[in-house]
Amino acid sequence: MPKILSEERVVEYSTEFKVRVVALTNQLKVDTTTIANIIGLHPVMVYRWRQESREGKLVEKPSRRISMTKTTKNWSQTDDKEIRRLKKQVEKLQKENDFLKKWEMYLKDPKPKDSRS
């Protein structure tokens, strides 16, 4: 996770985190800016990490750390269908949320008074 380096809130992310974010953007069929917003990053950072990964500058160094969790999970077709269904649902809800935000801003905007007397 991030490490704060100074009082100015300069954040440094680990290479492992960067590699995972890049892998996430490559795996999902979602816009990179959406993923960046969900994670709480600026989209430019994610684009830069993706570019560094393509250039070979961003490579995860092998670790001697041993994972204590099982990582071997066999995905079935029903899991894939469920993931696709949930992604569609998330997309639909994001569109609804965007619409509601726009509608809220429209309602907050003061209306000009009618000049006819």
Side-chain angles (χ1 to χ4, degrees), residues 16-26 39 41 46 49:
E16 180 183 8
F17 179 75
K18 294 176 185 179
V19 169
R20 287 186 181 183
V21 170
V22 170
L24 185 67
T25 61
N26 291 335
I39 296 174
L41 299 170
V46 178
W49 294 345

Side-chain angles (χ1 to χ4, degrees), residues 55-69:
E55 293 172 353
K57 295 178 184 175
L58 187 65
V59 179
E60 188 174 14
K61 297 177 179 112
S63 173
R64 296 182 66 178
R65 214 180 295 172
I66 298 172
S67 176
M68 298 304 284
T69 59

Side-chain angles (χ1 to χ4, degrees), residues 38 85-95:
I38 291 170
R85 185 187 68 78
L86 291 173
K87 285 181 184 178
K88 285 181 184 178
Q89 186 177 2
V90 166
E91 208 173 295
K92 177 185 171 193
L93 291 173
Q94 284 175 337
K95 287 180 182 178

